Structures are given as structure tokens and as C-alpha cells.
Amino acid sequence: QSLVLRPLSLVVFTLDAYTKHLHGIDEVTESVVGARCPCVNVDAAAAKDGQTIQRGRARVSLTFRFVPQRNVVSYPGSL
């Protein structure tokens, strides 16, 4: 399944959606809604299957991860 993300959209993945499914930003100048797989939010995004969306602006993907604190061992020459 896929999502249409309009400019200035934010999507947050957690749990299985983050760990078991692929996600990313394709390096393309336009996207065709539903071309690769069914789009689950066409109505909410005011889009239609087959519609072309221009992707001229920069898109950003940020990843935040929780890393448990551990005891750190220093080795000579390490920072």
C-alpha cells in the first residue's frame, strides 16, 4: 500500500509500520498516484488514482531512534 503525501505533510511510523515495512523517498520529479501499489488515502489527500503529482521541491526524511544507554568501554586512542 502507499500514501499520498502533499507538500508540508508529516507522517510518523511506529511499531510494525516502522520495523517491518519499507519506507523512503524516491528521487523523482513527479509521482503517479497508485502506479506502484494501491493508495490508501486518496480521499483524504484529495487525489485520484492515476493523477500525476509534481515533486519539484526538496523533500526531507528524518529518522529518530531510541538507543538504550550502555556502559561504554574506552580504548586507547578513542575519543
Side-chain angles (χ1 to χ4, degrees):
Q1 295 178 337
S2 65
L3 293 171
V4 173
L5 297 177
R6 296 290 189 177
L8 303 177
S9 294
L10 171 69
V11 64
V12 178
F13 292 101
T14 61
L15 304 172
D16 285 353
Y18 180 75
T19 59
K20 296 183 180 181
H21 299 280
L22 294 175
H23 50 281
I25 298 174
D26 293 336
E27 191 173 335
V28 297
T29 56
E30 60 183 34
S31 300
V32 178
V33 177
R36 293 172 58 181
C37 54
C39 181
V40 298
N41 71 327
V42 288
D43 293 334
K48 295 179 181 175
D49 277 330
Q51 177 181 354
T52 299
I53 298 174
Q54 298 301 314
R55 301 291 186 191
R57 298 174 63 184
R59 294 180 284 162
V60 178
S61 175
L62 300 175
T63 302
F64 295 93
R65 297 181 188 272
F66 171 75
V67 179
Q69 187 174 13
R70 299 182 188 176
N71 292 332
V72 177
V73 177
S74 281
Y75 294 98
S78 66
L79 296 176

